[in-house]
Amino acid sequence: MQPVSLNFTNTNLNSYKLNNYNTSFKGRYPSRDELVTIMPFKARKLVKRMDQFFEDNWNDITKSDSGFSNLPFYTLPGKNKEVATIKTVYQGHNKYILLEVTNDKYTEKILINRKNPDLFRFERTVDTDYGSATLKSFNSEHQRNEDIETRVGEYIEQYFPKVLPRPKSSQ
């Protein structure tokens, strides 16, 4: 076997400069309207405020010496003979807000993740002689339905301000 000789005389190895890799971000951040979210912006803020409100209520309950530790819940009247119930639900380490809106025909249950309001489950049920039957179910983690997403945002904007204390104005 003969040795192979490589001839590098035609290539200039020094022409490759590492200084050509200056990185700079020249794009722009998306505006609030361009962000891909399911929940409307105002509804997201209300869910975050409700999360803090429930945490404050729970801290007050645990600090009191009453011996009772019922979870806080709120029942609110709505329009067109609707009644809404807002309460907390704990599943393992996850914290949720359950919003139930009941009228003469059916009940709509919305289970909203308190840390990420874009993750929610929706279920519409009707009472029957033998219990209840599910008419429609929706999970925002796996599905998209603009009508349901808008409806959930409207319910949050309608009922959450009735429970939440008004923000203190800075003077």
Side-chain angles (χ1 to χ4, degrees), residues 13 51 56 87 105 147 166:
L13 295 176
D51 175 37
D56 295 341
K87 55 184 158 183
K105 298 177 185 175
D147 294 335
R166 295 187 187 270

Side-chain angles (χ1 to χ4, degrees), residues 110-156:
I110 305 159
L111 191 65
I112 306 164
N113 189 322
R114 286 167 50 176
K115 297 301 176 193
N116 186 358
D118 283 336
L119 301 177
F120 64 89
R121 286 178 260 164
F122 172 88
E123 182 177 304
R124 180 180 293 156
T125 60
V126 64
D127 292 334
T128 63
D129 294 337
Y130 304 104
S132 64
T134 301
L135 300 176
K136 182 119 181 134
S137 65
F138 172 78
N139 187 347
S140 70
E141 192 171 357
H142 305 293
Q143 301 168 311
R144 292 291 172 265
N145 186 330
E146 192 171 321
D147 294 335
I148 292 176
E149 294 164 1
T150 304
R151 185 179 198 94
V152 169
E154 288 172 357
Y155 280 150
I156 290 171

Side-chain angles (χ1 to χ4, degrees), residues 46-100:
L46 288 170
V47 169
K48 293 294 186 176
R49 284 185 52 208
M50 185 65 79
D51 175 37
Q52 188 59 46
F53 180 70
F54 277 133
E55 287 296 320
D56 295 341
N57 280 350
W58 185 246
N59 288 336
D60 293 341
I61 289 171
T62 56
K63 288 179 184 176
S64 69
D65 294 329
S66 65
F68 297 106
S69 61
N70 292 334
L71 294 175
F73 72 94
Y74 303 92
T75 304
L76 306 165
K79 52 187 171 186
N80 299 333
K81 298 182 182 178
E82 288 181 344
V83 176
T85 304
I86 301 172
K87 55 184 158 183
T88 60
V89 176
Y90 296 95
Q91 293 179 349
H93 295 293
N94 298 326
K95 300 175 183 177
Y96 297 97
I97 298 172
L98 177 63
L99 173 62
E100 290 182 343

